[in-house]
Amino acid sequence: MSRLLDRMRGVVWTRELITLAVAVFINNFGQGLLGGASMNFFIHTLGLSGAQVLWLEGIRELPGLGLMFIAALTMRLALCRRGTLALMIMGIGYILYGVVNSYVTLLLVAIIASLGMHMWMPVLPSLSMAMTTRDRSGRIMGAVQSVAALAALTGMGAVGILSRLLQSWPLNVYYLMGGACIVVASLVLTRLPCTLGATKAAQPRMLLKRRYWLYYVLTFFEGSRKEVLGTFVTLVLVQNFGLKVYQI
């Protein structure tokens, strides 16, 4: 909490930044809701095997591999419009998780949700930096990421409480609620001006430089860490040790 307060201190909370923070909170709260119940949903509700879960996670990352091409195709859109589109696609994809009835359908909706998520990931820091000067961009990005972390913890906490008190609730409800929150976040983002982040100079479609190699390596390991911890470890806890949603 002290680190959160440190990041908030000295940040100029303009109307645009508050709007972005609200959208980020609602989005990450929704992701916390559905993320907290995801593995139990896969194993106990859909009856997936461990191999099916791991294949699902692998296929879900396909939009991430093509992200540079997706970003190049959508870069002509205003920054806030790209963010709105990304969150809308992600929210609809997660809502569809709650109504799937086959493994093939699940793979399709997983790709839709993942497409929106991977589109959103680079847009958020760009929006944050567009709201301040270069020397203060790190402080703004830190404040926005702190809001995101707080929202995710709140969402997972809500899942823990609800799944403990309302154990008769079907787990797909958390996907429906979480996806709906993300759609609402996309609507909040429409309040941002289209001129945000716009520049007169033409922007390169792709940027790949040798001096950024360390950043590329760190990003690679960050993604690897997520898959090992968030997927494989959680799968073992649910499938082998029978942990419930509130325990996860």
Side-chain angles (χ1 to χ4, degrees):
M1 182 61 72
S2 62
R3 184 177 298 177
L4 173 61
L5 293 175
D6 288 340
R7 288 181 177 178
M8 297 298 185
R9 196 173 294 118
V11 174
V12 179
W13 289 93
T14 62
R15 180 178 179 180
E16 290 80 10
L17 183 56
I18 291 173
T19 301
L20 177 62
V22 170
V24 167
F25 187 92
I26 298 173
N27 168 50
N28 283 72
F29 179 81
Q31 291 195 53
L33 279 177
L34 58 91
S38 61
M39 192 59 68
N40 294 82
F41 174 69
F42 295 151
I43 300 299
H44 297 146
T45 300
L46 299 181
L48 302 185
S49 65
Q52 287 177 315
V53 171
L54 296 178
W55 273 109
L56 170 65
E57 289 299 316
I59 293 173
R60 192 182 64 83
E61 290 299 322
L62 290 177
L65 291 175
L67 181 61
M68 65 179 72
F69 304 105
I70 296 170
L73 290 173
T74 59
M75 69 173 296
R76 299 304 180 190
L77 292 175
L79 196 56
C80 63
R81 295 293 176 259
R82 272 183 273 165
T84 299
L85 178 63
L87 289 180
M88 182 64 70
I89 293 174
M90 176 166 50
I92 292 174
Y94 281 130
I95 288 174
L96 292 175
Y97 266 77
V99 297
V100 295
N101 54 15
S102 71
Y103 187 62
V104 173
T105 307
L106 178 62
L107 293 177
L108 292 176
V109 300
I111 290 176
I112 294 173
S114 180
L115 173 62
M117 182 184 69
H118 284 95
M119 289 174 61
W120 170 247
M121 288 169 63
V123 168
L124 177 56
S126 297
L127 282 171
S128 303
M129 289 188 292
M131 295 182 182
T132 186
T133 57
R134 182 173 181 177
D135 60 322
R136 295 177 60 84
S137 60
R139 187 183 297 272
I140 296 296
M141 291 174 67
V144 172
Q145 289 299 330
S146 295
V147 171
L150 178 63
L153 288 172
T154 305
M156 287 186 286
V159 172
I161 294 172
L162 290 173
S163 63
R164 180 76 175 190
L165 298 178
L166 304 171
Q167 298 187 28
S168 60
W169 269 22
L171 297 182
N172 65 333
V173 169
Y174 297 110
Y175 270 93
L176 297 174
M177 293 191 301
C181 286
I182 299 172
V183 170
V184 171
S186 74
L187 299 178
V188 172
L189 216 59
T190 61
R191 306 295 296 176
L192 292 176
C194 292
T195 55
L196 195 64
T199 60
K200 293 182 180 180
Q203 299 297 308
R205 285 188 175 272
M206 294 186 187
L207 183 65
L208 189 65
K209 292 190 175 183
R210 181 179 297 178
R211 66 176 181 172
Y212 298 146
W213 70 270
L214 181 57
Y215 176 74
Y216 303 146
V217 171
L218 291 174
T219 302
F220 175 83
F221 281 115
E222 180 188 11
S224 302
R225 181 270 318 163
K226 175 189 175 298
E227 294 306 321
V228 172
L229 178 63
T231 302
F232 181 72
V233 173
T234 311
L235 171 64
V236 171
L237 291 175
V238 173
Q239 189 177 54
N240 291 29
F241 294 93
L243 268 64
K244 307 298 183 183
V245 173
Y246 66 88
Q247 293 171 314
I248 293 294

